[in-house]
Amino acid sequence: RHIGKHVVGYDFAGSVVSVGSDPSCRKFKVGEYVYGMAATGSIAEYARAQCSMIAHKPKSLDFKQAASLPVVALTSLEAYMKTGLKKGDNVLVIGASGGCGIYGITLAEKVFKAKATGICSTKNVDFVKSIGASAVVDYKSESAMKELSKKGRQFDVIYDTVSSFDPVDPDYEPSMAQLLRENGKYIAINGWFSDWTRCLLSKITVPLFAFDVNRPNYELFLLDATTEMLETLASYFDSKTLTKTPIATVINLDRNESLWSGFEQMQSRRTVGKIVFEI
């Protein structure tokens, strides 16, 4: 409700109630349905978003489906754009049943026409197969992980959605990076503090000096969402190239359902699909 205050949440879908004067806002009108990201927070009755970070909602999706997309789908799309993933490549997706992992699999298989192998827990193997993975490895199976390692350098891209500086999370890079082919790319959405430092420095050194300070064959990156990327994503759904996002839970805040119950689910690191807040 308090549009001037920062609130939790980032991605959203809704209808436009006011449009600013920035040139990037010219394509949007009051009453139109949009989706995207709100830098000052999105879990509220109103969200304020830069027009350069929103686009018209995919016509084929409802608001809950559209709201579940921007962060996870665009992160995966940008990861593959950065690595130059192409038809016929082999990609390994670590954390394949989570939000980013789901789109790591589906974008690789259905948009980039690559062959995706997903790593997930035993209970999620069938789910990851169902979303189109060419192969699935159960990380709880010692024999399955050994078999994966035995095959050696087999992947053109490794997309890591799990490893982080948090000791709660496993660090897959030391073992999985050995599976990269020559000139392959390991790309991650989280990592050690040293890699976060390199990531942030690259935001300066690349545009100014065309110099990337990331480690060779490795990149930790921050999502740089744009209207054009959101429009591209919407086209994948409206053309039926991609279908609906698996939604784990819809929490209706109008019925006073607990906001924090959703965050507890996220912190459990065991959610399959997306958690959506409805107002």
Side-chain angles (χ1 to χ4, degrees):
R1 180 183 298 275
H2 302 291
I3 198 165
K5 294 183 178 180
H6 187 91
V7 297
V8 293
Y10 195 28
D11 35 14
F12 74 95
S15 59
V16 177
V17 296
S18 180
V19 180
S21 58
D22 188 87
S24 63
C25 295
R26 290 172 182 167
K27 61 174 63 178
F28 303 109
K29 298 177 182 179
V30 172
E32 291 183 325
Y33 299 155
V34 296
Y35 80 130
M37 301 181 188
T40 56
S42 63
I43 304 178
E45 290 173 292
Y46 299 98
R48 182 173 58 188
Q50 291 177 296
C51 291
S52 59
M53 295 176 65
I54 67 172
H56 292 103
K57 181 181 75 67
K59 294 181 176 64
S60 56
L61 300 181
D62 62 25
F63 284 109
K64 291 189 286 291
Q65 286 287 330
S68 73
L69 288 177
V71 170
V72 294
L74 287 190
T75 297
S76 300
L77 179 60
E78 185 168 349
Y80 290 153
M81 291 168 64
K82 283 178 172 290
T83 57
L85 186 69
K86 61 186 184 300
K87 184 177 181 179
D89 279 353
N90 289 320
V91 55
L92 178 66
V93 180
I94 302 170
S97 61
C100 287
I102 288 169
Y103 281 99
I105 296 292
T106 55
L107 283 167
E109 291 277 353
K110 297 177 181 179
V111 173
F112 290 87
K113 306 299 181 184
K115 295 180 179 178
T117 296
I119 291 181
C120 64
S121 65
T122 311
K123 68 184 181 66
N124 294 327
V125 167
D126 288 342
F127 168 75
V128 175
K129 287 179 180 177
S130 75
I131 60 174
S134 292
V136 184
V137 178
D138 177 2
Y139 71 78
K140 291 191 174 182
S141 168
E142 187 176 343
S143 61
M145 292 299 285
K146 282 184 177 179
E147 187 62 30
L148 178 66
S149 297
K150 279 182 183 179
K151 295 177 181 178
R153 297 187 178 278
Q154 57 196 286
F155 297 108
D156 302 284
V157 173
I158 295 178
Y159 177 34
D160 188 346
T161 73
V162 174
S163 302
S164 80
F165 58 83
D166 192 326
V168 172
D169 297 320
D171 184 7
Y172 280 97
E173 191 204 346
S175 57
M176 294 296 102
Q178 300 176 41
L179 305 182
L180 273 179
R181 289 174 173 163
E182 187 178 359
N183 299 319
K185 191 69 176 282
Y186 194 109
I187 193 158
I189 64 172
N190 207 340
W192 295 101
F193 291 113
S194 58
D195 288 312
W196 274 116
T197 301
R198 292 186 183 96
C199 169
L200 296 173
L201 281 174
S202 288
K203 292 284 188 182
I204 300 170
T205 61
V206 171
L208 288 181
F209 309 111
F211 180 68
D212 190 349
V213 298
N214 282 295
R215 290 185 281 132
N217 304 109
Y218 176 94
E219 183 173 358
L220 171 64
F221 77 102
L222 285 169
L223 172 61
D224 186 15
T226 64
T227 295
E228 291 72 26
M229 289 179 67
L230 286 160
E231 289 173 342
T232 297
L233 184 62
S235 73
Y236 295 151
F237 286 91
D238 289 340
S239 67
K240 306 302 181 184
T241 302
L242 296 178
T243 54
K244 295 180 179 180
T245 305
I247 292 179
T249 308
V250 176
I251 296 174
N252 192 308
L253 299 181
D254 283 342
R255 294 200 296 265
N256 295 318
E257 294 179 7
S258 172
L259 173 73
W260 298 112
S261 69
F263 285 95
E264 287 170 355
Q265 289 181 54
M266 282 185 266
Q267 290 170 350
S268 75
R269 293 169 166 80
R270 294 294 179 267
T271 301
V272 178
K274 287 286 290 181
I275 298 166
V276 176
F277 297 94
E278 185 176 30
I279 299 176

